[in-house]
Amino acid sequence: MALQGILRNFAGEKEQAYIMDSFQWLKDLFTTTDSVAHIALLYAIVIAAGVYLGKIKVFGISLGVTFVLFAGIVAGHIGFTAPTPILTFIQDFGLILFVFMIGMQVGPGFFESFGTAGVKLNGLAAIAILLNIIVMFVCYFVFFDTTDKTSLPMMVGTLYGAVTNTPGLGAANEALGSVFHNGIPQIASAYACAYPLGVLGIIGATILVRYICKVKLEKEEERLKASEETSANKKPYKMHLEVTNQYLEGKTLLQVHDFLMRDFVISRIVHDGELSIPNRNTVFHIGDQMLIVCAEADQEAITAFIGPKLDIDFEQQDQPLVSKRILVTNPDINGKSLASMHFSSVYGVNVTRVTRQGMDLFASAGLPLQVGDRIMVVGPEDAVDRVANKMGNSIRRLDTPNIATIFVGIIIGIVFGSLPLAIPGMPVPMKLGIAGGPLIIAILIGRYGYKIHLVTYTTTSANMMLREIGLVLFLASVGIKAGANFFETVVQGNGVLYVLTGFLITIIPILIVGPIARLRYKFNYFTIMGMIAGTYTDPPALAYANSVCSKEAPALGYSTVYPLSMFLRIFTAQIIVLFFCG
C-alpha cells in the first residue's frame, strides 16, 4: 500500500499498473511454491541465513549450522514454504548423505576405539545414553499427559534436542512415519526448544563435574605431561643399535625376527664400514651397526636382545641411500599388506612407517595399505623411485573424490536399512531405515572396503563438504515443515516444559557418569570432557574442552566414543519410537 501511494504521486493509472505488473515476476518467484526456482531460492535463503546467524556467539558459544533449523522454522511460519513431498524428499536425501559421510569418517577407527581404555570410555558413554533415555521417560510420566498419543513422540524430539544429536532426530522422524499414518507429530518443534539449552547444559554440567570431583586443571595438565595418552603399540620408534649378542653371530635377519617374536624393520645396516639395505637373508655379525624402526612398546626388548643404542645417525652420513615419503594413490594397492608387496626382496627397499589420517603407524608386515596412506621408504634412489611409480604417488588422484564408492554404499545401505525385522511386541516390523542402514554400511565400508577393492579414501575437506550439505538440507527441510505450527506448539502448548525437561535430560546423566569416570576409573578430567562431548556428539563442548587444555586428551576422548555414540543415538531413536510410540 505504501508503494502504491508513492506511485500515485509520480505516475498515472496506466503507468502505475505497468510498474506493478513489471514486479509480478518477483512476486511469483516468492509465492509460486511448486516452481523449481522458488524451491531453490527457499533453500538458499534459509541455509544462508541459518549459517550466518549460527556464527553469532553468545557467551563464547555458537549454535553453528544447527541455526539453519531455526531459520527454516521462521520461513515456514511466515508461509515461505514448498510442497510437502518435495520437502520430505530433500529432508530424507540430506539425512542419508549426512549419516553416510559420518560413517565413512568414523569407520576406519570404529573397531580400533575399543582398546583397554576405549572399552571403559565407550561403556561409560553407553551408560550416559541409557540414562538420557531413562530421564526422558521419567519426565514424560511426571510432567505430561500420557493419554495423548503425541506426547511421547514430542518427548523424543526433546531428548534429541537435549543431547544435540541431529541424526537421531532424523531417525526418529523416519520411524514415526511407519507408526503415524495420519499426520506425523512435528517433533522438530520440541527439538528446537531443547537444543539451545542443551548446548549450554553440556558445558555447564561438565564444569560442575570438575568442582564435584575437586579437579585442579594445572595438576591434570602435569599428569598428561608425565604420561602422554598415546598408543605405544602403534607409535613407531627409531633407534641405532650395535650387535653385541654373541648368539646373533651368523644368524639371518629372518631367524632373529622369528626368535624375538617382535615386529621390527631394519632399514640400514653397516658391516665392515659398508652401508647397505638388509633383507631377510642378511647375516648378523658382531659389531654390525643398524637403524631399526619398531613399535615403541617393543624397543626395550629389542635393545636388550641385539645390543646397546648408538649415538650416531646414518641419515646424516654421506651415503647413496635416500628416505622418501610416498603417497599411495594406485587403487590396485588398496588393501594389500606390506608383506605381500615384497618391498625388500623385489625392490631392495624397506618401509619403516606408515602415516594414515595424520597418525604414524608402525609398518608391521600384516598392515594393509589404503589409498591415502603415506609410506616412508628407505633405499637406493632409483629403487625408491620405482616404488613411488608403483604406489602412484599422485596428489591429483586424491583430489578426485571416489564418488562411485559413496553411491554404491548408499545403495547397499538403503537396501540393508529396508530389511524388515519382526520383533515380538512391536506393532510393525523394525527397520534400520534410511538413517541406520547407510550408517552401518558406511562404517563397514570405511573399515573393510579395501577387502572388496572399494577405494574409500575421501579427503577430509570433501567429507566435511558433503556432510554439511546433507545436514543443512535436512535441517532446512525439517524446520520449514515444522514452522507452520511451531509458535502454537511453543507458546500455547508445552514449549516451556520441553525446555525444562530437556535441560534435565542433558545434565543428570553427565552429573552421574562424569564423577564415576573420575572417581571410579581415575580418568584424566580432560579425557572425561572429551568423552562427554563425544557422547553427546557436541562439537561446541569439544571446542570448550580444547580451549582449556593444551594437550590432545579431549580430542582423544571425543574420538574414542564418538563412533559408538553416534550409532547408538540413531539406533535407539528408532527403538524408542517403534516400541513405545505405536
Side-chain angles (χ1 to χ4, degrees), residues 87-97 170 174 434 474 477:
L87 291 174
T88 302
F89 166 73
I90 297 177
Q91 169 188 314
D92 291 346
F93 179 74
L95 178 64
I96 291 170
L97 192 60
E174 186 205 353
I434 60 172
F474 169 77
S477 303

Side-chain angles (χ1 to χ4, degrees), residues 266-298:
I266 300 180
S267 63
R268 298 162 190 178
I269 188 168
V270 176
H271 176 66
D272 290 338
E274 183 178 340
L275 183 68
S276 63
I277 297 289
N279 57 43
R280 60 190 298 171
N281 298 317
T282 298
V283 177
F284 280 43
H285 299 284
I286 299 298
D288 285 353
Q289 298 175 348
M290 56 191 64
L291 173 58
I292 292 182
V293 181
C294 62
E296 188 175 17
D298 294 335

Side-chain angles (χ1 to χ4, degrees), residues 234-253:
K234 292 185 177 180
K235 187 175 180 182
Y237 185 85
K238 183 173 67 174
M239 55 187 175
H240 301 81
L241 302 182
E242 180 177 356
V243 179
T244 58
N245 185 351
Q246 294 289 341
Y247 171 81
L248 300 183
E249 178 65 38
K251 298 293 190 299
T252 65
L253 174 57

Side-chain angles (χ1 to χ4, degrees), residues 234 236 263-265 293 338 351-354 361-367:
K234 292 185 177 180
D263 254 335
F264 62 89
V265 175
V293 181
L338 286 170
V351 176
T352 59
R353 60 183 178 273
V354 177
L361 305 176
F362 169 61
S364 61
L367 180 69

Side-chain angles (χ1 to χ4, degrees), residues 140-161:
Y140 166 65
F141 286 110
V142 172
F143 297 110
F144 291 88
D145 180 9
T146 56
T147 61
D148 183 356
K149 287 190 175 182
T150 63
S151 292
L152 185 53
M154 296 303 284
M155 278 304 296
V156 174
T158 304
L159 165 66
Y160 284 95

Side-chain angles (χ1 to χ4, degrees), residues 220-396:
E220 297 301 291
E221 287 270 7
E222 291 173 3
R223 289 175 182 171
L224 285 178
K225 289 180 181 179
S227 177
E228 290 289 341
E229 296 183 8
T230 55
S231 175
N233 291 323
K234 292 185 177 180
K235 187 175 180 182
Y237 185 85
K238 183 173 67 174
M239 55 187 175
H240 301 81
L241 302 182
E242 180 177 356
V243 179
T244 58
N245 185 351
Q246 294 289 341
Y247 171 81
L248 300 183
E249 178 65 38
K251 298 293 190 299
T252 65
L253 174 57
L254 179 61
Q255 290 173 317
V256 174
H257 188 278
D258 290 343
F259 184 84
L260 254 178
M261 298 182 67
R262 296 283 205 286
D263 254 335
F264 62 89
V265 175
I266 300 180
S267 63
R268 298 162 190 178
I269 188 168
V270 176
H271 176 66
D272 290 338
E274 183 178 340
L275 183 68
S276 63
I277 297 289
N279 57 43
R280 60 190 298 171
N281 298 317
T282 298
V283 177
F284 280 43
H285 299 284
I286 299 298
D288 285 353
Q289 298 175 348
M290 56 191 64
L291 173 58
I292 292 182
V293 181
C294 62
E296 188 175 17
D298 294 335
Q299 56 98 5
E300 288 187 5
I302 294 172
T303 302
F305 184 70
I306 294 178
K309 295 180 182 179
L310 300 174
D311 189 19
I312 61 172
D313 190 349
F314 295 163
E315 298 184 48
Q316 300 300 319
Q317 295 181 5
D318 184 18
Q319 38 79 20
L321 304 180
V322 297
S323 300
K324 185 176 182 180
R325 284 190 179 274
I326 294 174
L327 193 60
V328 180
T329 60
N330 182 357
D332 294 336
I333 304 301
N334 201 47
K336 291 187 176 181
S337 69
L338 286 170
S340 69
M341 294 300 299
H342 305 292
F343 286 107
S344 177
S345 58
V346 175
Y347 297 97
V349 301
N350 281 326
V351 176
T352 59
R353 60 183 178 273
V354 177
T355 303
R356 179 176 299 163
Q357 299 291 333
M359 180 184 296
D360 280 342
L361 305 176
F362 169 61
S364 61
L367 180 69
L369 293 174
Q370 296 183 15
V371 171
D373 287 349
R374 293 179 183 273
I375 60 176
M376 176 63 80
V377 180
V378 180
E381 187 170 4
D382 59 341
V384 171
D385 290 340
R386 286 197 299 272
V387 172
N389 290 332
K390 179 67 175 177
M391 297 296 106
N393 202 34
S394 172
I395 192 68
R396 279 189 176 183

